[in-house]
Amino acid sequence: MAIKNLKEWKVLEDHYRKIKNVSLRDLFDENKNRIDDFSIEASSIYFDFSKQLVTQETINYLISLAKARHLSEEINKMFRGERINNTENRPVLHIALRNRSNTKIMVDGKNIMDDVNRVIEQMIQFSDKVRNGSLAGYTGKKFKNIVNIGIGGSDLGPLMVAEALKYYGRNDIENYFVSNVDGTHMAETLKKINPEETLFIIASKTFTTEETMTNATTARKWLLSILRDEKAIAKHFVALSTNQQKVEEFGIDVNNMFEFWDWVGGRYSVTSAIGLSVMIKIGSENFIELLKGFHEMDNHFKNAPFEKNIPVIMGLLGIWYNNFFQCETHAILPYDQYLHRFPAYFQQGDMESNGKSVTRDGVEVDYQTGPIIWGEPGTNGQHAFYQLIHQGTKLIPCDFIGFFKPLNNLGDHHPKLMANLIAQSQALAFGKNKEELEHEGVLAPLIPFKTFSGNRPSSTIMALQLSPRTLGNLIAMYEHKIFVQGIIWDINSFDQWGVELGKVLAKKVLQELKSTEKTRLQHDSSTNKLIEKFRHYNHA
Ligand code: G6Q
């Protein structure tokens, strides 16, 4: 049934009208135990959603909506390996990549855990050898530089995790990530590295992505121009892909290929072979800990009742703001420098998954779907864009993410960092009113400017300390939040036709940019002029 015709939806619409002006001050005053009623602990995560604009009724109504959308059944379908990615006719099984319980998961009559375990073992063997130096470059030198060449899902995941877990990595191994087809990205990377000590990891599910193939070809030419022997390629290049034929065509030995499968979506692939660069940096034991962290959260998502299920509650809160308060965006604000790419990672994870406007049956939706995701680490963001979150005209739900204990215990840096996190969520929720300002002695003309409305919602997501396991918990938590929302909106969160479009669009224009023949251009006048100007400056 269309979502807006569901009685559970209408109940929420009525409820919204009644409580849209609710005050968080009142909610906290009325219920002294609010924090106990609106917080969940699971795995290593403490999830405080007491500062959200919700009552117990709101949560109950949202859960009824989830039930009306058969969320439990849909979760089970994913875990069972049903082909829930209907437009590509594929199962969605990133959960299998970290299924440390090793329970059977059958696809087409085959237990895919055999393949998963085989590739993890291959990765462990390989990364151990790189780390202990028994696998070295063409001239016998140890690998110091691990350059991952990929883009989108084949870049953002390993990049984010390598940054997040740098503390656990070896200092004599440096990760580099080259993604942009802008030659600057490759050129600036090559300036820093010695080819004899460099391992290139070509990460591409399809092995046809133009940016990645262009960067890989440039890297190969560069290496050959210095080492001057084709045999060096086999020593310095490995591939992470589902496409054996294309890997061979590129000239990489299949023994140097780490496989994954079409049931792993790019943006959900960091726990597949796509994580190889991370494993080399942090070691296989830490990588397995990361997988365990994912698996713990997968189990929590699958088994916990909705009212105690963190990804379910996160997803439903997002529906509440997106579809009832009509919020357009959602900010992810990690108070941890190691997590500086976490918002960017879930910008892709969420926006590519839920940036859809037709249902799974292809009918155009008449409601809002995926939010705009954005964010930067605190406290830096406080000195930049928080002004708008505090006093702007837009309502922006925020996630504050932090850790009780630091990894780098320098003086009083950590209490200062955490004091800011806690104070920000407090200020957003409770604001500052006229009476308080008067009491502080603020002069009357300044009172409108110094007033903070409050009632600006946030969740606070805390763990003891950033570790491979807590990171796994955190990533899986957001992945499943995205799943929940996709089910409520009845959209396919696992295809990406918009990305495919980008992959073909530029092809025709590229031919025209390169062409030295003065053929008549057939586009609109703006496009024609841009192409002509490019030709003028480049083919003069
Ligand atoms: C992710 C998307 C997209 C993809 C890249 C790279 O879910 O599909 O970001 O990961 O376009 O694709 P390849 O891995 O095939 O090069």
Side-chain angles (χ1 to χ4, degrees), residues 447-502:
I447 285 186
F449 304 98
K450 293 200 164 190
T451 300
F452 291 83
S453 65
N455 292 327
R456 294 174 186 246
S458 68
S459 293
T460 304
I461 298 159
M462 300 291 299
L464 181 58
Q465 200 166 35
L466 178 58
S467 67
R469 179 174 156 241
T470 52
L471 184 70
N473 283 178
L474 276 174
I475 301 174
M477 183 181 86
Y478 274 95
E479 285 179 348
H480 297 318
K481 168 259 177 194
I482 295 166
F483 179 92
V484 169
Q485 297 185 331
I487 295 303
I488 305 284
W489 291 320
D490 187 23
I491 55 180
N492 181 353
S493 303
F494 300 104
D495 59 10
Q496 55 283 314
W497 298 105
V499 183
E500 313 305 328
L501 174 73

Short mmCIF file of all heavy atoms in Angstrom, two decimals, residues 447-502:
data_model
loop_
_atom_site.label_atom_id
_atom_site.label_comp_id
_atom_site.label_asym_id
_atom_site.label_seq_id
_atom_site.Cartn_x
_atom_site.Cartn_y
_atom_site.Cartn_z
N ILE A 447 19.38 41.15 23.32
CA ILE A 447 18.71 39.89 23.68
C ILE A 447 18.22 39.07 22.47
O ILE A 447 18.48 37.87 22.41
CB ILE A 447 17.60 40.15 24.73
CG1 ILE A 447 18.32 40.40 26.05
CG2 ILE A 447 16.61 38.98 24.83
CD1 ILE A 447 17.48 40.54 27.27
N PRO A 448 17.62 39.69 21.45
CA PRO A 448 17.18 38.87 20.31
C PRO A 448 18.33 38.11 19.64
O PRO A 448 18.16 37.00 19.15
CB PRO A 448 16.58 39.88 19.32
CG PRO A 448 16.38 41.14 20.09
CD PRO A 448 17.29 41.10 21.28
N PHE A 449 19.50 38.75 19.64
CA PHE A 449 20.64 38.15 18.95
C PHE A 449 21.27 37.03 19.76
O PHE A 449 21.88 36.12 19.21
CB PHE A 449 21.69 39.22 18.63
CG PHE A 449 21.11 40.35 17.82
CD1 PHE A 449 20.70 41.52 18.42
CD2 PHE A 449 20.92 40.19 16.45
CE1 PHE A 449 20.14 42.54 17.68
CE2 PHE A 449 20.35 41.20 15.71
CZ PHE A 449 19.95 42.39 16.32
N LYS A 450 21.15 37.16 21.07
CA LYS A 450 21.81 36.17 21.94
C LYS A 450 20.86 35.06 22.39
O LYS A 450 21.24 34.18 23.16
CB LYS A 450 22.41 36.87 23.16
CG LYS A 450 23.56 37.80 22.78
CD LYS A 450 24.43 38.08 23.98
CE LYS A 450 25.77 38.66 23.55
NZ LYS A 450 26.72 38.73 24.65
N THR A 451 19.61 35.11 21.88
CA THR A 451 18.64 34.09 22.25
C THR A 451 18.86 32.83 21.41
O THR A 451 19.11 32.93 20.20
CB THR A 451 17.20 34.62 22.02
OG1 THR A 451 17.04 35.77 22.83
CG2 THR A 451 16.16 33.58 22.36
N PHE A 452 18.79 31.68 22.06
CA PHE A 452 18.88 30.40 21.36
C PHE A 452 17.58 29.67 21.59
O PHE A 452 17.19 29.43 22.74
CB PHE A 452 20.07 29.58 21.88
CG PHE A 452 21.40 30.17 21.51
CD1 PHE A 452 21.95 31.19 22.26
CD2 PHE A 452 22.07 29.72 20.38
CE1 PHE A 452 23.16 31.76 21.91
CE2 PHE A 452 23.28 30.28 20.02
CZ PHE A 452 23.83 31.31 20.79
N SER A 453 16.92 29.31 20.49
CA SER A 453 15.57 28.74 20.63
C SER A 453 15.59 27.38 21.34
O SER A 453 14.63 27.00 21.98
CB SER A 453 14.96 28.57 19.25
OG SER A 453 15.71 27.62 18.52
N GLY A 454 16.68 26.63 21.19
CA GLY A 454 16.69 25.25 21.71
C GLY A 454 15.79 24.38 20.84
O GLY A 454 15.43 24.75 19.72
N ASN A 455 15.45 23.19 21.37
CA ASN A 455 14.62 22.23 20.62
C ASN A 455 15.24 21.83 19.29
O ASN A 455 14.53 21.54 18.34
CB ASN A 455 13.21 22.77 20.39
CG ASN A 455 12.46 22.85 21.70
OD1 ASN A 455 12.70 22.01 22.59
ND2 ASN A 455 11.64 23.85 21.85
N ARG A 456 16.53 21.85 19.25
CA ARG A 456 17.23 21.40 18.04
C ARG A 456 17.79 20.01 18.35
O ARG A 456 18.64 19.86 19.22
CB ARG A 456 18.30 22.41 17.65
CG ARG A 456 17.62 23.72 17.23
CD ARG A 456 18.54 24.85 16.95
NE ARG A 456 17.77 26.07 16.69
CZ ARG A 456 17.73 26.71 15.53
NH1 ARG A 456 18.43 26.27 14.51
NH2 ARG A 456 17.01 27.79 15.39
N PRO A 457 17.28 19.01 17.65
CA PRO A 457 17.48 17.63 18.09
C PRO A 457 18.85 17.04 17.76
O PRO A 457 19.45 17.37 16.74
CB PRO A 457 16.41 16.87 17.31
CG PRO A 457 16.19 17.68 16.08
CD PRO A 457 16.43 19.11 16.46
N SER A 458 19.30 16.16 18.64
CA SER A 458 20.54 15.42 18.34
C SER A 458 20.54 14.09 19.08
O SER A 458 19.86 13.94 20.09
CB SER A 458 21.77 16.23 18.75
OG SER A 458 21.84 16.35 20.15
N SER A 459 21.32 13.15 18.54
CA SER A 459 21.64 11.92 19.25
C SER A 459 23.10 12.01 19.66
O SER A 459 23.90 12.63 18.95
CB SER A 459 21.48 10.69 18.36
OG SER A 459 20.14 10.49 18.01
N THR A 460 23.44 11.38 20.77
CA THR A 460 24.85 11.30 21.16
C THR A 460 25.24 9.83 21.15
O THR A 460 24.58 9.00 21.80
CB THR A 460 25.07 11.92 22.55
OG1 THR A 460 24.57 13.26 22.51
CG2 THR A 460 26.54 11.94 22.91
N ILE A 461 26.27 9.53 20.38
CA ILE A 461 26.68 8.13 20.18
C ILE A 461 28.09 8.00 20.74
O ILE A 461 29.02 8.63 20.24
CB ILE A 461 26.65 7.80 18.67
CG1 ILE A 461 25.21 7.96 18.14
CG2 ILE A 461 27.18 6.40 18.40
CD1 ILE A 461 25.13 8.17 16.65
N MET A 462 28.22 7.23 21.80
CA MET A 462 29.51 7.15 22.49
C MET A 462 29.99 5.69 22.56
O MET A 462 29.18 4.77 22.60
CB MET A 462 29.38 7.67 23.93
CG MET A 462 28.93 9.11 24.07
SD MET A 462 30.15 10.33 23.52
CE MET A 462 31.53 10.01 24.61
N ALA A 463 31.32 5.53 22.61
CA ALA A 463 31.90 4.21 22.90
C ALA A 463 33.09 4.48 23.81
O ALA A 463 33.51 5.63 23.99
CB ALA A 463 32.32 3.51 21.63
N LEU A 464 33.62 3.42 24.40
CA LEU A 464 34.70 3.62 25.36
C LEU A 464 35.92 4.24 24.68
O LEU A 464 36.45 5.25 25.11
CB LEU A 464 35.06 2.28 26.02
CG LEU A 464 36.16 2.34 27.06
CD1 LEU A 464 35.80 3.30 28.19
CD2 LEU A 464 36.44 0.94 27.61
N GLN A 465 36.35 3.63 23.60
CA GLN A 465 37.58 4.08 22.93
C GLN A 465 37.52 3.65 21.47
O GLN A 465 36.96 2.59 21.18
CB GLN A 465 38.78 3.42 23.61
CG GLN A 465 40.09 4.11 23.38
CD GLN A 465 41.17 3.62 24.34
OE1 GLN A 465 41.18 2.45 24.70
NE2 GLN A 465 42.05 4.51 24.74
N LEU A 466 38.11 4.44 20.59
CA LEU A 466 38.10 4.04 19.19
C LEU A 466 39.01 2.83 18.98
O LEU A 466 40.20 2.89 19.27
CB LEU A 466 38.58 5.21 18.31
CG LEU A 466 38.67 4.93 16.81
CD1 LEU A 466 37.34 4.49 16.23
CD2 LEU A 466 39.19 6.15 16.06
N SER A 467 38.43 1.74 18.50
CA SER A 467 39.21 0.52 18.25
C SER A 467 38.65 -0.11 16.98
O SER A 467 37.57 0.28 16.51
CB SER A 467 39.03 -0.45 19.42
OG SER A 467 37.68 -0.90 19.46
N PRO A 468 39.35 -1.11 16.43
CA PRO A 468 38.78 -1.78 15.25
C PRO A 468 37.37 -2.28 15.54
O PRO A 468 36.47 -2.14 14.71
CB PRO A 468 39.76 -2.93 15.02
CG PRO A 468 41.07 -2.43 15.55
CD PRO A 468 40.71 -1.60 16.74
N ARG A 469 37.16 -2.82 16.73
CA ARG A 469 35.85 -3.37 17.05
C ARG A 469 34.78 -2.27 17.12
O ARG A 469 33.69 -2.39 16.54
CB ARG A 469 35.93 -4.14 18.37
CG ARG A 469 34.62 -4.71 18.78
CD ARG A 469 34.74 -5.60 20.03
NE ARG A 469 33.45 -5.66 20.67
CZ ARG A 469 33.20 -5.25 21.91
NH1 ARG A 469 34.17 -4.77 22.66
NH2 ARG A 469 31.99 -5.33 22.40
N THR A 470 35.06 -1.18 17.82
CA THR A 470 34.05 -0.12 17.93
C THR A 470 33.79 0.51 16.56
O THR A 470 32.66 0.86 16.25
CB THR A 470 34.44 1.00 18.93
OG1 THR A 470 35.74 1.47 18.60
CG2 THR A 470 34.43 0.53 20.35
N LEU A 471 34.84 0.61 15.75
CA LEU A 471 34.62 1.17 14.42
C LEU A 471 33.69 0.25 13.61
O LEU A 471 32.77 0.73 12.93
CB LEU A 471 35.95 1.36 13.68
CG LEU A 471 35.78 2.04 12.32
CD1 LEU A 471 35.38 3.50 12.47
CD2 LEU A 471 37.04 1.94 11.47
N GLY A 472 33.92 -1.06 13.72
CA GLY A 472 33.02 -2.01 13.04
C GLY A 472 31.59 -1.84 13.51
O GLY A 472 30.64 -1.81 12.71
N ASN A 473 31.41 -1.70 14.82
CA ASN A 473 30.07 -1.45 15.38
C ASN A 473 29.44 -0.20 14.74
O ASN A 473 28.30 -0.22 14.31
CB ASN A 473 30.14 -1.17 16.88
CG ASN A 473 30.35 -2.39 17.77
OD1 ASN A 473 30.46 -2.26 18.96
ND2 ASN A 473 30.39 -3.58 17.20
N LEU A 474 30.24 0.87 14.72
CA LEU A 474 29.71 2.15 14.23
C LEU A 474 29.32 2.10 12.76
O LEU A 474 28.26 2.59 12.37
CB LEU A 474 30.78 3.24 14.39
CG LEU A 474 30.91 3.94 15.73
CD1 LEU A 474 32.11 4.87 15.71
CD2 LEU A 474 29.65 4.74 16.05
N ILE A 475 30.19 1.50 11.95
CA ILE A 475 29.90 1.49 10.50
C ILE A 475 28.65 0.64 10.24
O ILE A 475 27.73 1.08 9.52
CB ILE A 475 31.10 0.95 9.68
CG1 ILE A 475 32.35 1.80 9.92
CG2 ILE A 475 30.76 0.96 8.19
CD1 ILE A 475 33.61 1.25 9.27
N ALA A 476 28.61 -0.55 10.83
CA ALA A 476 27.45 -1.42 10.58
C ALA A 476 26.16 -0.76 11.07
O ALA A 476 25.10 -0.89 10.45
CB ALA A 476 27.65 -2.76 11.26
N MET A 477 26.27 -0.01 12.15
CA MET A 477 25.10 0.67 12.71
C MET A 477 24.49 1.64 11.68
O MET A 477 23.28 1.65 11.43
CB MET A 477 25.57 1.43 13.96
CG MET A 477 24.53 2.14 14.72
SD MET A 477 25.34 2.98 16.12
CE MET A 477 25.85 4.50 15.35
N TYR A 478 25.36 2.43 11.05
CA TYR A 478 24.86 3.37 10.03
C TYR A 478 24.39 2.63 8.77
O TYR A 478 23.41 3.03 8.14
CB TYR A 478 25.94 4.40 9.67
CG TYR A 478 25.94 5.58 10.61
CD1 TYR A 478 26.79 5.63 11.71
CD2 TYR A 478 25.07 6.66 10.42
CE1 TYR A 478 26.78 6.70 12.59
CE2 TYR A 478 25.06 7.75 11.29
CZ TYR A 478 25.91 7.76 12.36
OH TYR A 478 25.90 8.83 13.23
N GLU A 479 25.10 1.57 8.40
CA GLU A 479 24.65 0.81 7.22
C GLU A 479 23.21 0.33 7.41
O GLU A 479 22.37 0.45 6.51
CB GLU A 479 25.53 -0.43 7.03
CG GLU A 479 26.90 -0.16 6.47
CD GLU A 479 27.72 -1.44 6.31
OE1 GLU A 479 27.32 -2.51 6.83
OE2 GLU A 479 28.77 -1.38 5.67
N HIS A 480 22.94 -0.19 8.62
CA HIS A 480 21.60 -0.76 8.83
C HIS A 480 20.55 0.33 9.03
O HIS A 480 19.37 0.12 8.72
CB HIS A 480 21.63 -1.73 10.00
CG HIS A 480 22.53 -2.91 9.74
ND1 HIS A 480 22.55 -3.56 8.52
CD2 HIS A 480 23.44 -3.56 10.51
CE1 HIS A 480 23.44 -4.55 8.56
NE2 HIS A 480 24.00 -4.56 9.76
N LYS A 481 20.97 1.47 9.53
CA LYS A 481 20.04 2.62 9.61
C LYS A 481 19.56 2.96 8.20
O LYS A 481 18.37 3.21 7.97
CB LYS A 481 20.78 3.80 10.27
CG LYS A 481 20.09 5.13 10.19
CD LYS A 481 20.67 6.00 9.10
CE LYS A 481 19.96 7.33 8.95
NZ LYS A 481 20.26 8.05 7.74
N ILE A 482 20.48 2.92 7.25
CA ILE A 482 20.12 3.23 5.85
C ILE A 482 19.13 2.18 5.33
O ILE A 482 18.14 2.51 4.66
CB ILE A 482 21.41 3.25 4.98
CG1 ILE A 482 22.32 4.39 5.42
CG2 ILE A 482 21.07 3.33 3.50
CD1 ILE A 482 23.75 4.31 4.86
N PHE A 483 19.38 0.92 5.69
CA PHE A 483 18.49 -0.17 5.27
C PHE A 483 17.07 0.07 5.77
O PHE A 483 16.09 -0.04 5.03
CB PHE A 483 19.03 -1.50 5.81
CG PHE A 483 18.19 -2.69 5.45
CD1 PHE A 483 18.45 -3.43 4.30
CD2 PHE A 483 17.13 -3.09 6.26
CE1 PHE A 483 17.66 -4.52 3.96
CE2 PHE A 483 16.34 -4.18 5.94
CZ PHE A 483 16.61 -4.90 4.78
N VAL A 484 16.97 0.40 7.06
CA VAL A 484 15.65 0.62 7.69
C VAL A 484 14.88 1.68 6.91
O VAL A 484 13.71 1.51 6.56
CB VAL A 484 15.82 1.06 9.17
CG1 VAL A 484 14.51 1.55 9.76
CG2 VAL A 484 16.42 -0.07 10.00
N GLN A 485 15.55 2.77 6.59
CA GLN A 485 14.84 3.86 5.91
C GLN A 485 14.44 3.45 4.50
O GLN A 485 13.34 3.78 4.04
CB GLN A 485 15.73 5.12 5.90
CG GLN A 485 15.98 5.59 7.33
CD GLN A 485 16.73 6.90 7.43
OE1 GLN A 485 17.54 7.24 6.56
NE2 GLN A 485 16.50 7.62 8.51
N GLY A 486 15.30 2.70 3.83
CA GLY A 486 14.96 2.23 2.48
C GLY A 486 13.69 1.39 2.51
O GLY A 486 12.84 1.50 1.62
N ILE A 487 13.54 0.57 3.54
CA ILE A 487 12.35 -0.28 3.65
C ILE A 487 11.11 0.58 3.91
O ILE A 487 10.06 0.40 3.29
CB ILE A 487 12.52 -1.34 4.77
CG1 ILE A 487 13.66 -2.30 4.41
CG2 ILE A 487 11.21 -2.10 5.04
CD1 ILE A 487 13.49 -3.03 3.09
N ILE A 488 11.23 1.52 4.83
CA ILE A 488 10.06 2.38 5.13
C ILE A 488 9.63 3.12 3.86
O ILE A 488 8.45 3.24 3.56
CB ILE A 488 10.38 3.40 6.25
CG1 ILE A 488 10.91 2.71 7.50
CG2 ILE A 488 9.17 4.30 6.53
CD1 ILE A 488 9.91 2.01 8.36
N TRP A 489 10.61 3.63 3.11
CA TRP A 489 10.28 4.41 1.91
C TRP A 489 9.97 3.51 0.71
O TRP A 489 9.66 4.02 -0.37
CB TRP A 489 11.44 5.36 1.56
CG TRP A 489 11.61 6.47 2.56
CD1 TRP A 489 10.62 7.18 3.18
CD2 TRP A 489 12.85 7.01 3.05
NE1 TRP A 489 11.16 8.12 4.02
CE2 TRP A 489 12.53 8.05 3.96
CE3 TRP A 489 14.21 6.73 2.81
CZ2 TRP A 489 13.50 8.79 4.64
CZ3 TRP A 489 15.17 7.47 3.48
CH2 TRP A 489 14.82 8.49 4.38
N ASP A 490 10.16 2.20 0.88
CA ASP A 490 9.92 1.25 -0.20
C ASP A 490 10.75 1.56 -1.44
O ASP A 490 10.26 1.58 -2.57
CB ASP A 490 8.41 1.21 -0.55
CG ASP A 490 8.10 0.11 -1.55
OD1 ASP A 490 8.87 -0.86 -1.63
OD2 ASP A 490 7.08 0.23 -2.26
N ILE A 491 12.04 1.85 -1.20
CA ILE A 491 12.93 2.09 -2.34
C ILE A 491 14.04 1.04 -2.32
O ILE A 491 14.28 0.41 -1.30
CB ILE A 491 13.56 3.52 -2.29
CG1 ILE A 491 14.26 3.74 -0.94
CG2 ILE A 491 12.49 4.57 -2.54
CD1 ILE A 491 14.89 5.13 -0.80
N ASN A 492 14.71 0.88 -3.45
CA ASN A 492 15.83 -0.05 -3.52
C ASN A 492 17.10 0.71 -3.11
O ASN A 492 17.60 1.55 -3.85
CB ASN A 492 15.97 -0.60 -4.94
CG ASN A 492 17.11 -1.59 -5.05
OD1 ASN A 492 17.88 -1.79 -4.10
ND2 ASN A 492 17.25 -2.22 -6.21
N SER A 493 17.61 0.38 -1.92
CA SER A 493 18.79 1.09 -1.41
C SER A 493 20.09 0.55 -2.03
O SER A 493 21.16 1.01 -1.68
CB SER A 493 18.89 0.94 0.11
OG SER A 493 17.73 1.40 0.74
N PHE A 494 19.98 -0.43 -2.90
CA PHE A 494 21.20 -1.12 -3.31
C PHE A 494 21.55 -1.02 -4.79
O PHE A 494 22.47 -1.67 -5.25
CB PHE A 494 21.13 -2.58 -2.83
CG PHE A 494 21.00 -2.64 -1.33
CD1 PHE A 494 19.77 -2.93 -0.73
CD2 PHE A 494 22.07 -2.32 -0.52
CE1 PHE A 494 19.64 -2.93 0.65
CE2 PHE A 494 21.94 -2.31 0.86
CZ PHE A 494 20.73 -2.61 1.45
N ASP A 495 20.81 -0.23 -5.53
CA ASP A 495 21.25 0.05 -6.89
C ASP A 495 21.76 1.50 -6.96
O ASP A 495 21.73 2.21 -5.95
CB ASP A 495 20.14 -0.24 -7.92
CG ASP A 495 18.88 0.58 -7.68
OD1 ASP A 495 18.91 1.52 -6.85
OD2 ASP A 495 17.86 0.30 -8.33
N GLN A 496 22.25 1.93 -8.09
CA GLN A 496 22.84 3.28 -8.21
C GLN A 496 22.88 3.69 -9.68
O GLN A 496 23.94 3.89 -10.25
CB GLN A 496 24.26 3.33 -7.59
CG GLN A 496 25.28 2.32 -8.10
CD GLN A 496 25.08 0.95 -7.54
OE1 GLN A 496 24.89 0.77 -6.35
NE2 GLN A 496 25.09 -0.06 -8.41
N TRP A 497 21.68 3.82 -10.27
CA TRP A 497 21.65 4.12 -11.70
C TRP A 497 22.21 5.50 -11.99
O TRP A 497 22.70 5.76 -13.09
CB TRP A 497 20.23 3.92 -12.24
CG TRP A 497 19.82 2.48 -12.07
CD1 TRP A 497 18.95 1.96 -11.15
CD2 TRP A 497 20.35 1.35 -12.78
NE1 TRP A 497 18.89 0.59 -11.24
CE2 TRP A 497 19.73 0.18 -12.24
CE3 TRP A 497 21.27 1.20 -13.81
CZ2 TRP A 497 20.03 -1.10 -12.70
CZ3 TRP A 497 21.55 -0.09 -14.28
CH2 TRP A 497 20.94 -1.22 -13.72
N GLY A 498 22.14 6.38 -11.00
CA GLY A 498 22.71 7.73 -11.18
C GLY A 498 24.22 7.66 -11.39
O GLY A 498 24.79 8.44 -12.16
N VAL A 499 24.88 6.73 -10.69
CA VAL A 499 26.33 6.58 -10.85
C VAL A 499 26.63 6.02 -12.23
O VAL A 499 27.54 6.47 -12.92
CB VAL A 499 26.92 5.63 -9.78
CG1 VAL A 499 28.44 5.54 -9.91
CG2 VAL A 499 26.54 6.08 -8.38
N GLU A 500 25.81 5.05 -12.63
CA GLU A 500 26.01 4.44 -13.96
C GLU A 500 25.89 5.52 -15.04
O GLU A 500 26.65 5.54 -15.99
CB GLU A 500 24.97 3.33 -14.24
CG GLU A 500 24.76 2.31 -13.12
CD GLU A 500 26.02 1.61 -12.67
OE1 GLU A 500 26.92 1.40 -13.50
OE2 GLU A 500 26.11 1.29 -11.46
N LEU A 501 24.92 6.43 -14.86
CA LEU A 501 24.72 7.50 -15.84
C LEU A 501 26.02 8.31 -15.99
O LEU A 501 26.49 8.55 -17.10
CB LEU A 501 23.58 8.42 -15.38
CG LEU A 501 23.37 9.67 -16.23
CD1 LEU A 501 22.75 9.29 -17.57
CD2 LEU A 501 22.48 10.67 -15.51
N GLY A 502 26.60 8.67 -14.84
CA GLY A 502 27.84 9.44 -14.87
C GLY A 502 28.93 8.70 -15.64
O GLY A 502 29.77 9.32 -16.30
#
